[in-house]
Every structure is written in structure tokens, then in C-alpha cells.
Amino acid sequence: QVQLVESGGGLVQAGGSLRLSCAASGRTFSSYAMAWFRQAPGKEREFVAAIDGSGGSKTYAASVKGRFTISRDNAKNTVDLQMNSLTFEDTANYYCAARFGMVLAAFRAYNSWGQGTQVTVSS
């Protein structure tokens, strides 16, 4: 497993932007696919975006496509989520996750998780 720490969450007005970061430990970061999930009160955990080890392949949930961008810097062992045009429906606790190998959208496929960072979008 990889140790993950998220940061960058906070309160933002609707229409604004926020950038989340996830820092990972270890020397084999490029071997792991990385993903962002979110969970709002009363809802199940939802896939947001994922990126493969090299950063060349990205996958997004339909609800965030065109607004969110996932990226990674393997030299720094970080993965970011740039969130633009935020709406109230984006309010959730956002989690960074890692798994060895290929990208998958199912949260149960990931065995390393960060503690989460809260994103609150005011209307």
C-alpha cells in the first residue's frame, strides 16, 4: 500500500475553482494508477477521475467531464485534481486512492486511500 495525504479542500462559491493535491510516499509511484473519489452526505462513494501510471491516459465521470482535470507529477509523487465551474452538487469529501497497475473506476479496486479533504461549494 501507498501512504496518501490529500490537501487543498475548503469553501468556495459556486462557479469558482479549487485545486486538490495528493502526496504519496514510496519510490514506485509511477507503477500505480491514481484516482479521485467523492462522497456526499447520504450518498454512496462516487468515482470522479483516474489517471494511469505514466499520466498518458485519463478517465472522468460524466458529471465532471469538461470541468475537472486530473494530472500527476511522478517526480514529486503527487496527483492533482483541478476543479472548475464548481456547483453545489460538487460538495463532498474528496478522497485520493491508489492501486497497482491499470486504471479502474470501482472504488473496491483501490487498496490505498487518503484521509479525505472536504470541498464545500456555496450557492
Side-chain angles (χ1 to χ4, degrees):
Q1 293 185 333
V2 181
Q3 299 296 315
L4 305 173
V5 180
E6 302 100 331
S7 62
L11 177 65
V12 63
Q13 292 186 352
S17 299
L18 206 60
R19 189 177 185 89
L20 306 183
S21 294
C22 176
S25 64
R27 296 192 296 266
T28 59
F29 181 65
S30 62
S31 298
Y32 290 83
M34 303 294 297
W36 288 94
F37 292 81
R38 66 186 183 186
Q39 187 166 24
K43 298 182 179 180
E44 63 182 9
R45 188 162 297 187
E46 176 188 23
F47 170 78
V48 177
I51 187 169
D52 71 350
S54 69
S57 180
K58 303 175 182 180
T59 304
Y60 298 94
S63 60
V64 306
K65 188 177 299 182
R67 298 189 298 120
F68 291 10
T69 302
I70 188 171
S71 61
R72 69 189 296 161
D73 186 339
N74 288 343
K76 298 180 180 179
N77 280 20
T78 58
V79 59
D80 292 350
L81 184 68
Q82 178 65 46
M83 305 183 293
N84 299 326
S85 301
L86 287 164
T87 70
F88 178 78
E89 289 71 30
D90 294 316
T91 295
N93 201 343
Y94 284 71
Y95 297 89
C96 178
R99 71 180 305 274
F100 184 82
M102 66 183 296
V103 167
L104 294 173
F107 72 87
R108 291 188 177 184
Y110 294 81
N111 59 357
S112 297
W113 292 86
Q115 81 289 344
T117 184
Q118 180 67 37
V119 173
T120 302
V121 184
S122 61
S123 60

